[in-house]
Amino acid sequence: MKRTCPEAMLFDLDGTLFQTETLLLPAYEAAFEELRQEGTYTLGTPPKELILSSLGMLLEHIWARVLPDSDEAVRRRADELLLRHQTEGLLRGEGVMYEGVEETLRALHAKGIKLFVASNGLEGYVKEVIRLKGLDDLFTGLYSAGEYETRSKVDLVRLLLEHHGVRSAWMVGDRSSDVEAGKENGLPVVGCRYAQFGKDSELDGADMIITQFSQLLELVE
């Protein structure tokens, strides 16, 4: 397809900008240990592959996969504890961005491209990751399903575009929900094939594929 330099870029967070497992897995283990200590949950920690393969989904769908036999109260408590342990980990400096993310974002920002996050995560988590990694000065807006209570990433991206009057943008992400969100809103999609959280078919339909984040610069140049 013919490409022109976009006015804006919309980024998924987990598996696209942020190497989620470097923060998530220690917090996941700690959350389930605390659940067992308080008696809310008495079984072994569900396999980490369950939560890793669910990244990009809405939180209610993630917990339905991770804790299919638990009631809503247990899932809500697991969610609370996971967020708390992730936030504490971030404050300790845990969790890393993918290689080349900061340098590439700064170069795109210097070109005058508006940068946004569009994530299915919670508001506090999304904003704290960007703030504590020192990237908040680069973004025009941080959009999350948690803040805007959207039922899909398609709706979240539509809101973002409307709020900022964006006329041309690329959607950048690693999951099928990112491809769908871009396509349903008429945006070219850049698929990120380096996190490997999903299936091989996750990025079917993407217009461009990158295997390292810095390749975004090559696409716009």
Side-chain angles (χ1 to χ4, degrees):
M1 64 175 289
K2 183 179 179 182
R3 295 194 300 265
T4 55
C5 189
E7 171 191 349
M9 285 196 189
L10 284 50
F11 297 96
D12 174 47
L13 180 63
D14 292 321
T16 299
L17 300 177
F18 189 54
Q19 200 168 338
T20 316
E21 68 273 23
T22 60
L23 175 71
L24 174 64
L25 293 183
Y28 184 71
E29 294 290 344
F32 274 95
E33 181 61 31
E34 190 166 346
L35 283 170
R36 283 189 290 269
Q37 287 175 359
E38 66 185 27
T40 306
Y41 180 81
T42 56
L43 303 175
T45 302
K48 64 183 180 182
E49 290 77 17
L50 276 178
I51 195 160
L52 288 175
S53 64
S54 303
L55 290 173
M57 295 180 179
L58 292 169
L59 284 167
E60 63 188 272
H61 299 152
I62 291 177
W63 289 114
R65 287 189 69 188
V66 174
L67 293 171
D69 300 321
S70 297
D71 63 29
E72 192 57 33
V74 174
R75 293 177 188 177
R76 278 200 305 271
R77 182 59 177 155
D79 199 30
E80 291 169 3
L81 291 176
L82 182 65
L83 178 62
R84 196 191 83 213
H85 284 290
Q86 284 183 304
T87 302
E88 290 172 355
L90 280 170
L91 291 170
R92 291 193 298 267
E94 295 173 8
V96 298
M97 310 305 281
Y98 283 103
E99 183 179 357
V101 163
E102 179 172 359
E103 300 86 344
T104 302
L105 290 177
R106 292 198 179 280
L108 293 170
H109 185 263
K111 288 178 176 293
I113 297 172
K114 294 177 183 175
L115 308 179
F116 296 89
V117 166
S119 167
N120 275 337
L122 289 171
E123 177 185 5
Y125 168 76
V126 171
K127 290 182 174 177
E128 284 295 271
V129 169
I130 296 300
R131 182 181 72 83
L132 290 170
K133 297 307 173 186
L135 301 173
D136 47 340
D137 61 313
L138 301 177
F139 286 92
T140 299
L142 304 175
Y143 278 65
S144 63
E147 179 173 4
Y148 290 95
E149 299 183 348
T150 45
R151 302 301 302 161
S152 73
K153 190 167 279 191
V154 173
D155 295 336
L156 185 68
V157 167
R158 184 178 297 123
L159 264 182
L160 188 163
L161 297 173
E162 289 172 356
H163 285 176
H164 294 272
V166 173
R167 295 177 302 279
S168 70
W170 291 359
M171 182 70 218
V172 184
D174 70 306
R175 302 307 300 265
S176 58
S177 57
D178 300 309
V179 178
E180 180 188 26
K183 289 299 174 184
E184 290 293 319
N185 285 287
L187 308 180
V189 176
V190 181
C192 302
R193 188 164 277 150
Y194 43 77
Q196 299 177 329
F197 291 143
K199 306 170 188 164
D200 291 342
S201 59
E202 285 283 341
L203 299 176
D204 287 355
D207 300 290
M208 301 160 269
I209 298 289
I210 58 175
T211 54
Q212 54 189 45
F213 193 79
S214 59
Q215 290 171 337
L216 266 178
L217 280 176
E218 299 169 21
L219 293 179
V220 299
E221 289 169 352

